[in-house]
Structure formats: structure tokens, C-alpha cells
Amino acid sequence: MLGYIIRRLLAVVPVMIIVALFVFLILRLTPGDPAAILAGDSATPAQLERIRDRLGLNLPLYEQFFQWVRMMFQGDLGVSLISNTPVSTMIGQRIWPTLNIAMLTIFLSVLIAVPMGVLAAWRHRSWVDYAVMSFSVLGFSVPVFVIGYLFIQIFAIELRWLPVQGYTAPTQDLLGFFQRALLPSFTLATIYVALIARMTRASMLDVLGEDYVRTARAKGLREGSILFRHALRNAAVPIMTIIGTGFALLIAGVVVTESVFNIPGVGRLTVDAILARDYPVIQAMILLTAGLYVLVNLLIDISYTIIDPRIRY
Amino acid sequence: MAHATQPSAAMQTVLGMLSLPRQWRLGAGPMVAAVVLFLIVLSALLAPLYVPYDPMQMGSLNRLQPASAEHLLGTDQYGRDLFSRIMTGGRVSLLIGVGAALFSVVVGMMIGLVSGFFRAADAVIMRIMDSLMAIPAILLAIALVALSGPSVWSVIVAITIPEVPRVVRLVRSVVLGAREEPYVEAAIALGSSMPKILWQHLMPNTVPAMIVQGTYICASAILTEAILSFLGAGVSTDIPTWGNIMAEGRTYFQVKPGLIFWTGAILSLCILSINLLGDAARDMLDPRLKKREA
Amino acid sequence: MMRFKNDDKSSSKAVLDIRHLSVRLSGEEGPGSLVLDDISLQVHEGETVSLVGESGSGKSVTSLAVMGLLPKGALEVSGGEIDMDGESLLTLTPSQMRTLRGQRMAMIFQEPMTALNPVMRVGDQIAEVLQTHRELSKRDCRDRVLDVMQQVYLPDVARIYGSYPHQLSGGQRQRIMIAMALALEPKLLIADEPTTALDVTTQAQILSLIAELQERHGTAVLFITHDMGVVAEVSHAVHVMKHGKIVEQAPVETLFRHPSEEYTKRLLRSVPSLIPRGARSQESTEPVLEVSDMQKVYSGGGLFLRKPGTHAARDINLTVKRGQTLGIVGESGSGKTTVARSIMRLIDPTSGSIRVAGKEVATLSRRALRPHRKHFQVVFQDPFRSLNPRWTVGRSLVEGPVNFGTPRHEAYERALEMMELVDLPGDALERYPHQFSGGQRQRIAIARAVMMRPDLLVADEAVSALDVSVQAQVLDLLDEVQARLGIAILFITHDLRVAAQICDEVIVMQYGAIVEHGSAREVLSNPRHDYTRMLIGAAPGREWDFANCCELLSA
Amino acid sequence: KSDDTTITAVMHSSLRVLDPIITTAHITRNHGYMIYDVLLASDEDFNPQPQMADWEISDDSLTYTLTLREGLMFHDGEVVTAEDAVASLERWGERDSGGQLIFDVTESLEATDEHTITWTLSEPYPPLIDTLAKQSAVPAFIMPARIADTSADSSISEHIGSGPFRFLEDEYEPGVSVTYERFDDYVPREEEPSWMAGGKVVNVDRVVWTTMPDAQTAINALTTGEIDYIEQVQVDLLPILESSPDVVVENRDPLGYQTMGRLNFQHPPFDNKQIRQAALLALSQEDVLATMMGDSEYYEICGAIFGCGTPLADESGSESLTSGGDPQAAQQLLEEAGYDGTPVVLMQPTDVTSLSAQPVVAAQALRQAGFEVDMQPMDWQTLVNRRASMSAPDEGGWNIFFTNWMVPEITSPLINVMLNGRGEDGWFGWPEDEELEALRREFIAAESDEERQEAARKLQVHTLDEVIYIPLGQYIMPQARRDNITDMIPSPVPVFWNIDKQ
Ligand SMILES: Nc1ncnc2c1ncn2[C@@H]1O[C@H](COP(=O)(O)OP(=O)(O)OP(=O)(O)O)[C@@H](O)[C@H]1O
Ligand SMILES: Nc1ncnc2c1ncn2[C@@H]1O[C@H](COP(=O)(O)OP(=O)(O)OP(=O)(O)O)[C@@H](O)[C@H]1O
Ligand SMILES: [Mg+2]
Ligand SMILES: [Mg+2]
């Protein structure tokens, strides 16, 4: 197992290389020109050309690539083409809000969704089941911003319990963090709750008919421990996967929610960078997410072996 | 939906006439769902025949009208008839939603089965998936459009590619457990080929998860399409799609909530039906559940 | 001299009282057919009542009905009453039922593989019973569990406590089930074929354990088994079931000496004799299976630190010739299944050579092995899980032949024939595995393997769940196929009677190694190794001639 | 520091480029006005006024002497010298198109002493003072010489000016927020503030510019008082604010924006003058503006290429545009011109709200007039890239796109980049038009206001006749503030001096 973990961690390197190459190619294939956004509307072609030279955008592709890779190996993520700030500083500022909110969201989602799904499976085709399904349908098909606006309207504007927008770091003011992170987290959580609850239900239904559930009943266990200790654990692998990939998605940043609640996270950073073709920022962001994904996925994979001892790699 | 029971009965007879095996006949709930879905698809397909206005016809003096006899659901910010737009919008949206869900599930399923079953392939495939997962859909969409021009298909592909690794992970996770089941060993002992074991023994285990994930992808693709359109990487924003109507309606959320409400309602109805059908399908696939029916 | 239990318990308090119980299939359209038809039986304090009879006759369903655990939506009680200690069980609320279960009534399920939670350590699964019903500290609880595990004669309890079900042998799992049921010393114990996977010595120990429990607590035991020897030794009274009805009931001695019903007589006649049959003429010397110096060590796993492995098979050497049957008997957990699975290449042997029909298979890749699969087939020890729960039985049956080119309809026809041969109705092909009884599933598994017409058949406890008459029928079937096709059979069993009747040669295993090897006659009537002697000495009902309803003359 | 007054303002976009010389982005220009000062500035009557310096013009109009006033200091504590000003002007001159014209006729630009800048020309250039004082697109901001020495093609990396606010580098998060602090050593002029001219007296301690990508959120935050000010409110969202008594909605900028369309002269069908005219005839300002803005209070139909409400405004030749379009005439003209149905590639930027309606309305109008229209959606960056492509429309080129200008950016032929007839050297669309060039020269040479007006009128007529570009009218984006924010100066650039927070 230890060997496996080490092998997986080492695999970060090829993953990064694939991602780097891929991203680099995609970016250079996409039309758009950071020089143009730098210079604004009334720049002349000659001026643009000079800026492009200056930014190194006129070098041959492979040279740009190797230069970038070389810098990466020296731990230098480069400088934003647009704002001229070091990319590491920019990401450093932006990653924490996203991470913190992602963790809160996943925590809330799991807390709410798993019992919901278990209940729905337990009371298959009862009103609980249908209620969970209706909630999930809404969670899937109502755009996030609508949920966000509704929360804001109710909790921030009508009731004035929580602020409308913004972000406070938990290290700075824990209460402030929760006040500002609660609405966005719940907003994000709706879709995850929907997804996780459905998955839990689906997975539990498979398990509840198994003989060992009957054995557990024969032992006189309470329904709760039958469901959560015996059945849920057997159903947990796909649920864990959904939670894991959900978390991975969240740490990549979720643009719409970040916009609605004005959270300075990496989601907006990435989209802004893509729209401005700020290559170093995009490249660094994607590499970072790739790295995080490798890590999260490794954790998911390890969790499988803990949940289900029959799973071996 | 009050009148939906009648066509349901009719459908029952039709199915009866087709003399489908009994286990393929649906209960009342799924039956209604099937009919509703059928009606939605049909009304989207036939929209050009019956909608009162050209869904792209603007009237600058007609902006954001409330519902009236003239405009059943009012008009949008360009003075276009909302009813006509919503009904027509289903065409592109359903294509994208269903297309993206189908593609990602099918592709993800194949890769996931192989990856989950063969330890040797797993390491390589999953690392490629990890890499794919990191590419943002937006970027992909912009690049794809640049390469092949804007079209519904590039939207579907752009949405599908980042979705595939997640499906793969899910399928693989189910397979990792299922491959240890004795009946898989039994199949090996009976000389079943790998494709057969993957497809016939292991795949059905993934169906419940795939139904959940598939409906989710379907819905989220319909909504994501709007985001891509707004980056110019999708279908043109004046072509109505449910995603576009809602995304454009975002600004008018408080001024004219109908833009989002009605579109959201029909989308929800659609997803609800798909969900009900999915549940029915999974129950059909699981003999133990079928028996547990009340 | 056979000693039946003659102390009459019918005067003591009835712990379990079943009156006119009927259970039927519940379906969407109207009331389904009856699975249990007007069953009545009583078990008194300290009494052991055996339930024997045809496989699929409703023995397990009866016990599930008592426990209130009939599968929802599939089976339901349609009439009658079940009382425990005078309390009507059918009217209890779920939570009242819950307090009864585990504490005052416990059940040992028929198929331990599926009845144990695959993702929980078995020790914890036992501990759970204690934690639910008793206030115990963690430490005490663990000690108590280890203690119970020792009582059921599990070896190496510390390792087994931390093992998962799939890491245990069939008999070990079964003992876990037993430990779980006995942990709280219940008032009523329902044991549904609790010893099918146990070798006779262990079986004897478990049976005396139960007897001891009865002595101390006056536990009432409802004992379901196919092993007439066991019935003869443990029961006070016997009920014989057929087609969902109780056809005969009598005190044990009466039943064995003077069976009245034709079915009972037939049943008793079918009990195989312990005396090995005469050696068959050896036509062929062509070896179908040759195993030499095979070893298997299961690695220990562990998240970070590798735990020590289990050496489950050591230096295994054996040969099976065409048309010959080689029996493997031995202690539970001695590595029999391991040997079988290695031969089938379902697990990779650690070292050694395995040749099937002249082909070295120990080192072949899975892919390269596939074309050879039709030459050797296996019947698994746990038939339920070896059938895909989502597939109809028919589909499972034709899978193999279709893989090797038989047209589907032809394979179906053959499957239909096979159903008849193993005494299952033809409509069984359209049903799903969970709708069958344990013995029925086992027959399906046998049918599936035989359908393939292999050169080598590995049968791991293939007839343990069958009532003796069906068992006889299946054994005949095997015999016949063997005669016709010259199949070589590797037959793993705990039932020495069965071994005596069908094996040409017998291997005795203990602690992963072969301790004795010889012709069946030699090994069974003239054992040399201590362990073999012990084994034979422990065979239940050794002194009784079931077919003739009297003591064996030689005994 | 808790009793500091801070104004939190949501600006129209996020500040990501910090160098006000390298880019023409409005937000960066606004940032420039916060931390830098200018030598001369224009007041609300478009008249140049002294700001950092006074000026004198020699009688032969060839020598300009600018004298810095006392007390000017950079944020790093250094005194502002003429050297700094010269270096800054030179860098500006490389980037600004108006500046380039001056440097084309410059003989020398020198710091003759610590406070005096002497600018000698080789031939008279009447608009020099106006150009130095203009407030858009690239004002001549003054920065320390060491920073101004940076090449005009790379961004500066130090942000030190002599303006009324200091830039707090540590608190800057690109794309999120910028924080400015009052520069205590700034010495304002005595005069009343008027647009960019006059005394810049700062009454608050800090100004924070944040970006809120979601307009709805910004409005909600304003109603709850989490922010103080929104620079631009989408007109459609104004009804939401009606119910908030402590929020004031008003027009700060009297001029607003001009929206316009540009055709590609290099490729068919718009290489044909008649077809260009047909396109112009097909369009109606009313339709475009109403669709864009909804409420007619916030737009103005205006046929003047230099923008209405400006000194050179003149609406000759724009009758069809301003009176609802003339599809019949367009159709007829199109037929006469022998339009062969070549599809017109119309680029539609989808991620810029203020530009998403024009293409849609125009496409509909053009189709009605008989054009084949191929409207292609794309993000603004792709558009910016593509409009620079001179390839044929079906090979990655284009035929029409739309954009908006702040009116001060187009008020005169000197700064209006579209009035350039030098073909491939000119602005996207690349008309080759000798007459246009001649008219522009005539304007530059004009000595009196009358001559200038006349030249401008000729340009107006010529521009619409040749369809150099199509003005589609003017619109205003109202601003919203909490009512405790007072005394904000009306101006095209939102300024944070003079403003107070109660
Ligand atoms: N879930 C079910 N659905 C339908 N039929 C069932 C179900 N479970 C059991 N049966 C049927 O009920 C009958 C009695 O089954 P039961 O398991 O009680 O037999 P049994 O006497 O225990 O047999 P065995 O000795 O083989 O275990 C069988 O014919 C079986 O096919
Ligand atoms: N997957 C495994 N991992 C670790 N140990 C195992 C595993 N499978 C079996 N064992 C151990 O190997 C030994 C031999 O097991 P095996 O199943 O071969 O016994 P058996 O002879 O078939 O016993 P029984 O008669 O009880 O079925 C047992 O002690 C068991 O605990
Ligand atoms: Mg049974
Ligand atoms: Mg075994």
C-alpha cells in the first residue's frame, strides 16, 4: 500500500507533463491575444506587434513551451501578462477562499445528503423518497444563480441575518468567515446535496436487499445502525467517489457562485484569465488543479480500500 | 398534468398491443413520466409549426412585457415572445442535454469498466483521466470552436470531455468492488471473454449510479450550454435554448422572474420525468427490487 | 450401540409454538402460491427439534418466518400463529421484535458467505451483538468475543478476529455465524444447516457446545439439517417436510426405527453408507490433472505495514486420472478450497505446477487460459454468490456453452434437461437466484458446471446443502456423466459418507498439507494418520444403518 | 484607524492593467487619474486648464513653455521635476495617437530647468494644448523619470504618481480590488473642480474599488450598505433600486457613450460603396438603442460622428439612421449595386453586456434589407483577435463588428481613431481614403473655431457618405450611490476627490 501511494504520488509528474503540454497547445490554438487586451481598443497593429515581441509571444511555440517548463522547474510560475503581478501571488491570494468554501460546502453537503439518501432508500417509494427526488430534481435543474439570489433575498435583504457578498478569511475573523461563507456554501451545496443524495439512495437500494442486512436484523440491531453501519458502508464506494469528484470540482473554483457572492476565488481568476488569454495564469491554474486532483483522487482511491477491504490495487 | 392520465392509459394499450414482456411494462408513475417526456420532446420538435411568433423576432418597443393574450408568457429583454422561445428552446437544449449525457456515460462507461477491471490498465488510464479532468470546459469550448466553428456538436464535446473522467471514476469505483464478486470468478471459470464479463456481468452494477450521474449531466449540460454561449463558444445567443433564456434572464431575475421561472419549470419537469424513468429502469434491472414492490 | 436422545421434553414449557403457519408468495397480482402450508411444530425448553426434508420444502422459510425476517415483498405470512414463550410474534411491533432478536432468539443462517457483511471485520460483527444488547466496555467486549470464537474452535482467533469474511474458509465463516448466534446464549436457537461446511470433528465439537448450552440455559433448538447422522445424534424429535408441509413428525428413535411415511422411508434409504463402495475398474491411466509441489500463501495486506501472510497450502501433490474421482476431506480451514481455486486458476498459486489435460496452467495468463476453460469446471462452495443476482438462472446456465460456440437455443434445451436431472422445475430457468432455496442454488451450480462437459470437474462441497434423496440423485448424475464422458472429478467434502460412496481415492488435509493419501477403501476403513482416525471416529450416526432402520451390525 | 472614512466603490470593470500609458482601457485611465496628475486638464466646457503646469505659447506658435507649479511631490517623497515630466511625455508620445502627431512635428522637448519644460516644434501644431489636456483615451500622466523610462511596450512595475491618492500595492488583488489612500502631501489647486481640472481636494481617507461580476449582487450590496457606490448600473436593473430610499440614482456623465458599427473595406461586399450605404440605410438607431437600453431616458438618438453635446457635433447625412432606417431604400440600393448574396460575417461578442444587443438588432435589420447575414458569436477576446485579421471573411476575417466609445474619445478628428484613411495602417476595417486624410489635415491646420467647425462638418458628411463608420447613437449609464455620499463631481471620469462621506 505504501508503495502504491508513493507510486501514485510520483505519477504527479507525468500527469503534470501531459496537462502542461495539452494546455499549452490548447491555449495557443485558441484565438485571442493578450497583447490586444493590454493595449486596448485604439492600438495600432504596429504597437500590438511590439507588445507581442516584448511578451515573448512571437517566439516559436516550442521555445515558449520549453521556456515555461524551465521556469516551472525552477518554481517560477511567471508573471501575469495583463497585470504584471507574479502568478504565484495571484493564486496565493485566490486559492484560500475557494478552498475554505469548498471544504465547508462538502462538509455541509455530506452532512445533509447522506442521511437524506439513506432515508430515501430505506423508505423506497414512500413520500420521503419522492421528497428527496423532488429536491434533487430542483437541485439539478435550477441554475445556481437563482438559488444564490433567493438566499440573498431572504437571508441578507429581508431578514438581514447575513451579509450579501464578500469574503473574510477564517484566520482573520472566524465568525465573519462563517457569516459570509454560509450562503455561498449552501448555494453550492444544493447541487451536491442533490447529487450525493441520489447516489446514496441508488447505491443503498442495491445493498439493502443483501443477506447480511437480514443478518444484522436477526442480531436485533437498531434500524439506524443497520442502515449506517452495515448498509451504508457497503454502499459507500460510489458515494465516496461522487463526494471526491465533487470536491475536486469545487477546488477548481465555481465561477457562478463566486460571482454571485463576490468571492475572490480561483474560479473567477481562471475565467478572467481565459477571457483575457493571460497564458501564465491559465497554465499555472490548470497545473495547480491537476495537482490537486491527483491528490484528491489518491485520497479517494485510498478511501476505497478502507471502505471495502476486498478492493486492492 | 391533469389530462396526462388519459394518454397514459392509451400508451399502456399501445404497449400492450406491442405485447411487450410483462417486466417491461411500466407502473403508473413512470408511465406518466414517459408520456410527459414524450410530450415535451414532441412539442419541442414540432415547435416551429405551432408557436405564435418567430422566436428570434425582436421588437424593441415590446421589451419585457408581462403575460398577455398576445404574448402568452410575455416577452424578453429583446421583445421576443417568451412562449415561442421556451418551446423552441427545447430543441437545442434537449439535444445538448441528452447528447452530452449519453456520450459521457457511454464513453465513461467503456473506459471505466476497463480501468476498473484491469489493474495494469488502471494506472495509465486513470492518470490520463486525472489530466483531462483538470482542463476547464470553457477553455476547451473556446478552443474547439476555434478549430471547428461554433456548433451544437462542439458544445456537446466540450461539455462531455471534462465530464467523462468523473463518469470513469464512478464506473471504476463500482467495478473495483464488483470484480471481487464470486459470480465474476464463475464467469471467468466458464470461459467468458473479457468484453462479455465487463459488459454483461459488471456493467449492470453501474447502471444505478449511471442513471443518477446521467440525469445530472443532462441537466447540467443544458445549463452549461448557456455559459458557453456567453463565451461565444456555443450556439448563437439569439437562438433560443433553455440555458440561454435562463442565463439572459439572470439580469431580469427580479424584474421579470417569468424568464427563469417558466423555463426552469419545464426543465425541472423534464428532469423529473427522466428521473422517474431512470428509477423504473433500474428497478427493472434489479430483480430483487422488482420483487420488493409494494 | 446408537444412543438416541430419549428424555421426553414435551412436558416442559414450549418455547416456540408454531400453529397452522402458512406463507405464500406475495406478488402484484393477487395472492401467490403457498410456500408453507399449515405448518405446526413446538420446541420445548432444552429440547432439540430437527427439521429435515426435501431441499426447497420450506425449512428456511419456516425459520425466517419465526424470526420475522421474510423477504419483504416476496414472501408473506398468510395464516397461522407463531408464539414464543407464550407471546405472539406476529403481532409484535418492529422494535419489540428487535429486542427479542439476538437476545432471546438467534439464528444461524444457511449461507454464511452472504450472511456476513463483507466489509466488516468478523470480530466486530460478533461484538456488535454484545454491544447492542449488553452494556460492556470495549475491552470486555473484545475478550468476550475472542472467548466465544475459541468456543466454536476457531484457530488463531486473533488473526480471524481482524479478518474480513472473504479471507476466511467456508467453515470458518460458518463458525463465525454460530458464534454470533451463541454469543448471548439465547432462549431459542434456530440453526439452519449450521455445520455443512464443517469437518466432522469440528462438527462434533460444535454440537456438544450447543448441547452444553441447552443443558445450562434450557435453550430450545430448532435444528435444520440434511445430515441424518446429525439428526440421529442431536434431536429429541424430528419433523419431516416436503412441499411446504410437515409430512411426518415423531420422537427421534421412533422415526428412525419405524418411519411411517413413504417419503421418510425413501429419505432414510438414500442416506449413503459409510462403508466405501467397491473399487471401480481403472480403465484409464491418462492423468487429467497433475498438481506438483504447489504452494499458496495469502498476503496479509495492511495499509502501511505488511501483515504476515497465511500459508494456506503447502507442498500439494496430487493426480486425478480420467474417469476417476479424487476426494479431499479434512479439517475446516485446511486449505481445500484454496487448492481447488488454485487449480481453477481463480487465484494464482505462489509456486508449483498444475497441469490440466497435459497443459501447464499455473503460469498461463488469464487470456491464454481462456480457451482451456472448457476443460475444467468448478462448483463453488458458496453457490449463491457465484450466480449473478441480476441474471435469470437460465442465462447463467447457458453462459458457458455459449462461450464455447453452442447455439443459444441448443444450450437452453440442454439447460432444461439439466434442470430435470437435478430435480428442479423447468420454470426455474426464468427465475432469479434469490428466489431459490440453498439446496436449489447448489443444484443450479452443479448443473452449470456439468453442462460444460468438462474433462475435470472440481466440486467444492457441492452436495452439502442437499437432502439425502436429492443428493443421491445428484451423485448418480455425476456418476453417470463420469461413466459416459470419462470426467475426472476432484471432490471436496466433509461428509465422509459421500466420500465413501463416490471417491476412488481420498486425500486428507490438515493445516494446509496432505497428511494421508490412498484409495477410498484404505483411507476410510483403515486410516493410518492420527488425524484421519479422529475424523472417522467423529462421523455422526456411525453406528446406525439408516437404510434398514437398525443398528449397524459391524458396529 | 476605525474612524477612517472609506468609500467602497464598484467600478464598471476590474483593474488588471496598471499602466495607464500602455493601455486605453477606461478603468486603467480612471486609475491613472487617482494616482497620477496631469500637466493640463480639460474643464467641463472642453477648455484646457492648467493643472500641474501653466503654459505659454511663443508668437510663432513653435515654442511651448510649461512651468510646473510649486509643491508637487511624488508619493515616494521626491519632488516632481521637469525631467520627470519630459520623460513621461516622451513615453506617452510613443503610445498615444494624438501624442504621436505632436512628436511628428517636434524639434525638441527639454527640461530647461527644474520647473520648466520647453517644447519646440518644427511647424505650428495648433491642437497641442488641447491634446495635452484631453482626458481620454491616454492622458499624459506624469510619473517619475525612472519609471517613465520603461519601454513604451512593457508595463511599468512601480506605481508612483503625484496625484491625490496613493496606490496601496500590498492590498491590490488583480481582478478583485484596488485600494487607494489619500496622499497627504498633495497640494490641490485653488480653483473650483470642473471635470478633470481645478482643485482636487480629497475628503476621505481611503477609496476601495472592487469588482462585482454580478450586477445584481452589486445592487443588493448597495441597498444593504455594504458598498457605497456603483459606477454603472444597468438600466434594466434600476427598478430594483426604486424601493431603496437611501440609494440615489443619477447621471454623472453628461456625455456618455457612442455605440457604432464598423464595416470591413477590404473585402466584398463592403468594398463596394453602394453596399456600404445600403447597410447604413438598413439600420435604425432607435431600434438599436431601445433594445440595448429599454428606457429612453438613458439614450439619445444622435447622428453626429463626434457625438452630440460636443463642440464639433453636427448631424448632417444621418437622417435615415435617426429616423428609423429605410429598409426599402436599402433594398433598392442593394439591388442596384448588384449584391450577389455573399454572406456578411457579423461578429457578435457574447461576454460583453453592452455589446450584445447591437449585432442582434443589426443582423435582423440587414436581413430585412436583403443581406445574407452570418452572425458569429464569440468572446470579446476572440473578436479582438479576429478583427485584426485582414483575411477574407470566410477564412477567418470579418465584415462587421460593433463597439462603444466614450464620447470624449471621439469628439475630434485628432483623437477619433476611426477617421483614418491610411488603409492597412489605419484602424480595423482599413478604409483607404485620400479625401478623408485631406479633410483631417485641413482640420489640424485650422486656425479659428469657424474653420475647425467647417472642417468637422465636411468630415461628418464624408464619413457618412463613405460609411467610414456608422454612429448608432448615444447612451448613458447611470450611477448609484448611498445618499451619505455627497459632492461627487459630474464628469465622464468618475473622480473621488471633492466627494465626501457623511
Ligand atoms: N424470495 C423468494 N421468492 C420466491 N420464492 C422463494 C423465495 N425464497 C424461497 N422461495 C421458494 O420457497 C421454497 C422454500 O424455500 P426454502 O429456502 O425454505 O427451502 P429449504 O427447505 O430451506 O431448502 P434447502 O434445504 O435447499 O435450503 C423454495 O421452493 C424456494 O424456491
Ligand atoms: N483471501 C484470503 N486471505 C487470507 N487468508 C485466507 C484467504 N482465503 C482463505 N484464507 C485462509 O486460508 C486457510 C485455508 O482456507 P480454505 O478456504 O482453503 O479452507 P478449506 O479447507 O476450504 O476450509 P473449509 O472446509 O472450512 O471450507 C484458512 O485458514 C483461511 O482463513
Ligand atoms: Mg434452506
Ligand atoms: Mg472451503
Side-chain angles (χ1 to χ4, degrees), chain C residues 15-27:
Chain C
V15 175
L16 178 67
D17 186 4
I18 302 178
R19 291 189 302 276
H20 310 295
L21 177 69
S22 305
V23 169
R24 65 164 183 225
L25 290 174
S26 56

Side-chain angles (χ1 to χ4, degrees), chain D residues 262-275:
Chain D
R262 175 80 157 192
L263 309 177
N264 188 344
F265 284 63
Q266 300 274 323
H267 293 285
F270 294 134
D271 54 350
N272 179 330
K273 177 174 170 181
Q274 274 182 314
I275 297 184

Side-chain angles (χ1 to χ4, degrees), chain C residues 335-345 378 458 460 490 492:
Chain C
K336 302 181 293 297
T337 301
T338 305
V339 169
R341 286 161 52 86
S342 299
I343 290 169
M344 291 307 297
R345 276 301 307 284
V378 62
V458 178
D460 194 354
L490 188 67
I492 298 171

Side-chain angles (χ1 to χ4, degrees), chain A residues 38-59:
Chain A
L38 247 183
D41 239 12
S42 43
T44 61
Q47 285 173 337
L48 285 184
E49 201 53 30
R50 285 213 305 271
I51 296 181
R52 245 179 252 132
D53 264 341
R54 201 41 85 166
L55 297 177
L57 298 173
N58 284 336
L59 292 175

Side-chain angles (χ1 to χ4, degrees), chain C residues 25 35 53-62 71 74-75 110 192-193 226 431 434-440 443 465:
Chain C
L25 290 174
V35 173
E54 195 182 26
S55 163
S57 60
K59 302 182 296 294
S60 300
V61 169
T62 308
L75 296 175
Q110 187 173 8
D192 193 354
E193 313 208 7
H226 291 301
R431 286 155 65 189
H434 70 276
Q435 293 168 318
F436 290 93
S437 79
Q440 288 169 334
R443 279 175 274 165

Side-chain angles (χ1 to χ4, degrees), chain A residues 171-248:
Chain A
T171 45
Q172 201 184 327
D173 171 5
L174 196 60
L175 183 68
F177 166 74
F178 279 110
Q179 280 178 342
R180 290 181 190 268
L182 225 49
L183 288 186
S185 295
F186 268 110
T187 305
L188 281 172
T190 32
I191 191 150
Y192 287 101
V193 168
L195 191 56
I196 297 172
R198 287 294 284 168
M199 196 57 77
T200 307
R201 171 186 177 274
S203 203
M204 284 290 286
L205 277 182
D206 272 355
V207 163
L208 283 177
E210 297 283 351
D211 282 355
Y212 49 77
V213 173
R214 187 180 68 189
T215 310
R217 292 223 163 84
K219 289 197 266 186
L221 298 191
R222 259 169 322 227
E223 221 38 37
S225 57
I226 293 173
L227 291 175
F228 287 93
R229 264 174 75 100
H230 285 264
L232 184 57
R233 186 144 170 221
N234 278 280
V237 165
I239 304 173
M240 200 59 215
T241 312
I242 280 290
I243 296 173
T245 48
F247 184 63

